[in-house]
Amino acid sequence: MRRLYHAAYPINISAASARVRFSSNGRVRVQAAAHDIGTGTNTVLAQMAANRLGVTLDAVQVKLGDSALPAAPVSGGSNVTASMCSVVMKACDTIRGQLARAATGSKGPLAGQPADKLILKGGALIAPNGASADLISVFKQLGVGMIEEYIEWFPPGQSAQQVADLYNGHLKLVGGAEAEKLMYAFGAEFVEVRIHERTREIRVPRAIGAFAAGYIMNTRTARSQLMGGMIWGISSALHEATELDQRVARYVNDNIAEYLIPVNADIAEIDVILVPEEDDFVNPASVKGLGELGNVGTAAAITHAVYHATGKRVRDLPLRLEKIL
């Protein structure tokens, strides 16, 4: 049985802060108290800084995971990429603005050029007419060897108080249906489900997901997150269950030996399609979280396919054999 199910997940964003240092030798350092749990936060923040400051990726050093660094949101609710890329983008643009004003306000080759039209690339500021000034000379005009900016950013509906709350360990996410406009990422998931006629064993030989999640910072990490979310959805539908002993209020299967999760034999063909999307309203970076977007429609698609194959509507997961016998 093949079935399609739609997916939607709210665009959660949080106030955030970051510190970015740009040196005259073209080296960049990004610091924040966010953490990378394997989703590629280090990579996408380095990409954002490299893109905005016109340097290569290997010129950027990202330091995360230390509470002594500028406050950042927790990795949950698919908010970190959107929140942190927005604040790093703002910090880099502030640095670019300082360099551009210094270069255009002097007697150098860029004097009189529109500061907001300059491009920062390859260690130089370049004007629309092709005139350029190398970074070392621009830094000399400023009388410094590096520029460091600490920036706080908060989305509409929040204030600087939310950044202060972050320093005290309190996180507030906004977005989804609570924002001025609805802010969601969307997807469609197709699953093929096979059910053994006699044993009622359920297998998912194929799953395909197509997702639109704003500007994709890194297609490789995005695809991996969405694929992991779909695997998580299969696991939620057919495997995972927390068994609670009601008499003593203790979890019975609190270890990896008894808490069921998929193994390689349970996961077959999975394909992820990234649908191009532009949405400048959600945040300055136009980024939407996608870690959990891949999960929310998978279990629904599987149970829907089981219903059409057997006539049994199951709303209590996991979908075990006895529920469709």
Side-chain angles (χ1 to χ4, degrees):
M1 182 61 65
R2 297 180 177 89
R3 275 294 170 263
L4 158 68
Y5 211 83
H6 301 292
Y9 196 80
I11 306 308
N12 293 316
I13 46 178
S14 164
S17 62
R19 184 181 295 111
V20 176
R21 174 184 290 183
F22 190 30
S23 301
S24 59
N25 62 2
R27 303 294 299 179
V28 182
R29 187 179 71 183
V30 179
Q31 294 180 315
H35 45 285
D36 192 333
I37 58 173
T39 50
T41 305
N42 280 290
T43 301
V44 296
L45 294 186
Q47 285 184 279
M48 175 58 76
N51 178 265
R52 305 305 289 188
L53 295 176
V55 300
T56 58
L57 195 60
D58 58 4
V60 183
Q61 177 193 43
V62 178
K63 183 174 176 57
L64 305 176
D66 189 331
S67 58
L69 299 176
V74 68
S75 287
S78 297
N79 87 95
V80 167
T81 300
S83 303
M84 292 307 304
C85 280
S86 293
V87 71
V88 169
M89 177 181 177
K90 185 176 180 181
C92 292
D93 288 352
T94 301
I95 293 172
R96 286 176 57 180
Q98 292 184 49
L99 292 169
R101 287 190 295 272
T104 56
S106 67
K107 297 180 180 180
L110 297 178
Q113 293 291 332
D116 59 342
K117 300 296 184 181
L118 299 187
I119 297 173
L120 184 54
K121 183 178 181 181
L125 284 164
I126 306 171
N129 65 359
S132 65
D134 63 89
L135 279 178
I136 294 177
S137 63
V138 177
F139 271 97
K140 284 182 178 179
Q141 292 172 20
L142 284 169
V144 297
M146 64 88 178
I147 300 175
E148 183 173 280
E149 284 291 335
Y150 166 79
I151 293 292
E152 295 180 354
W153 175 82
F154 46 88
Q158 291 197 351
S159 67
Q161 180 59 43
Q162 270 68 53
V163 180
D165 290 342
L166 276 179
Y167 278 99
N168 293 317
H170 302 294
L171 171 70
K172 182 180 180 181
L173 298 176
V174 297
E178 299 177 359
E180 180 184 343
K181 297 180 181 179
L182 290 177
M183 299 197 302
Y184 280 81
F186 298 96
E189 298 188 41
F190 306 79
V191 296
E192 178 180 339
V193 175
R194 297 177 183 176
I195 304 172
H196 195 283
E197 183 180 5
R198 295 183 179 180
T199 66
R200 292 299 192 265
E201 178 188 10
I202 304 169
R203 308 297 279 176
V204 182
R206 184 169 55 159
I208 301 174
F211 304 97
Y215 178 73
I216 302 299
M217 287 296 302
N218 186 297
T219 54
R220 179 173 294 181
T221 58
R223 184 178 183 275
S224 294
Q225 281 207 62
L226 290 167
M227 181 180 292
M230 293 173 68
I231 294 171
W232 179 14
I234 295 172
S235 181
S236 173
L238 303 177
H239 299 83
E240 297 186 47
T242 301
E243 306 293 348
L244 184 66
D245 188 331
Q246 301 285 349
R247 298 169 303 167
V248 294
R250 293 292 184 270
Y251 294 109
V252 177
N253 59 336
D254 61 353
N255 58 80
I256 203 70
E258 296 177 316
Y259 187 90
L260 296 182
I261 58 174
V263 296
N264 285 358
D266 297 304
I267 304 300
E269 180 183 348
I270 292 184
D271 194 15
V272 173
I273 301 170
L274 298 174
V275 180
E277 181 191 27
E278 294 183 9
D279 190 340
D280 295 330
F281 179 82
V282 290
N283 54 66
S286 301
V287 170
K288 296 182 177 183
L290 46 71
E292 286 152 304
L293 175 63
N295 166 53
V296 291
T298 314
I302 292 171
T303 55
H304 200 47
V306 169
Y307 166 71
H308 279 269
T310 67
K312 298 291 182 69
R313 178 68 79 184
V314 179
R315 302 186 185 276
D316 181 25
L317 300 178
L319 208 167
R320 291 174 168 154
L321 301 183
E322 61 268 24
K323 295 178 181 178
I324 58 173
L325 284 173

